[in-house]
Structures are given as structure tokens and as C-alpha cells.
Amino acid sequence: MRKISLSDIQSKIAEGRPDVDYAVNVFRGKTRDQGWTMKRMKPRDPDEIKALNYLARSQYRKAVQEGTIIYDKERRVLTIAKYIRGEDKRKIE
């Protein structure tokens, strides 16, 4: 089996990045009149839905543990810590 280091992987990615960025920008520049849209045309696969749900839940739980998202039980509201204003911030602390 061939071994490859992380720096080799990163250099391979860096080589192809400009081409990929250019292709993405060309695609985004196309209009509906040209037959392109950014909207998804086919429904998501059930396994893809499960994977995306798992990722979203894990990111949410991590944010709650770190304190970047705060859940207020009385009002049943989620707030993002960095967007809390002065007076509301004092209530939480």
C-alpha cells in the first residue's frame, strides 16, 4: 500500500483549487434563461437526509455545550450568544 502524508494531500488539493473555483463561478454566473438554476432538482436520498440531520444535531449540541447557543426554558427560545444585546446579556450571566 502506498503511504501519503498530509502535506502531499494538501498540495494536491491546492493544485486543483483554482480550476474548481473558476468552474463554480462560471456555473453560478449562468442564468435561468440558459437552463441553469441553483435549486435542487431531485429529492434527497434517505441516507443523505439522515447524515445531514446527524451533522446538524451534533453541531447544535456542541454549540449548546460551548455556550454559543443558549436555550431559555421560560420563553422557550434559542439565542445566539454573540448577538445578545447589553441588557439581555446581563440577565443570562
Side-chain angles (χ1 to χ4, degrees):
M1 182 188 316
R2 184 175 154 217
K3 292 184 179 180
I4 188 166
S5 67
L6 180 61
S7 60
D8 292 338
I9 293 171
Q10 290 173 338
S11 65
K12 289 273 189 192
I13 291 171
E15 286 174 13
R17 180 163 279 147
D19 298 333
V20 172
D21 290 341
Y22 176 75
V24 168
N25 288 331
V26 167
F27 175 74
R28 285 187 175 160
K30 300 203 179 215
T31 63
R32 269 192 198 161
D33 298 336
Q34 294 171 320
W36 295 95
T37 178
M38 294 293 285
K39 201 162 112 180
R40 237 184 124 76
M41 299 306 283
K42 64 178 187 170
R44 291 194 189 274
D45 185 69
D47 291 336
E48 185 180 7
I49 292 169
K50 286 180 185 177
L52 291 172
N53 287 341
Y54 175 79
L55 289 172
R57 273 191 246 111
S58 64
Q59 285 180 336
Y60 167 75
R61 288 182 184 133
K62 182 180 175 188
V64 169
Q65 287 175 349
E66 292 173 352
T68 54
I69 295 178
I70 302 164
Y71 179 68
D72 184 2
K73 291 181 182 177
E74 290 178 12
R75 298 185 324 187
R76 297 174 63 187
V77 174
L78 289 172
T79 52
I80 300 172
K82 71 178 183 180
Y83 295 118
I84 297 175
R85 293 192 197 130
E87 188 176 315
D88 293 335
K89 192 178 258 185
R90 281 183 249 126
K91 288 179 185 176
I92 293 171
E93 294 171 349

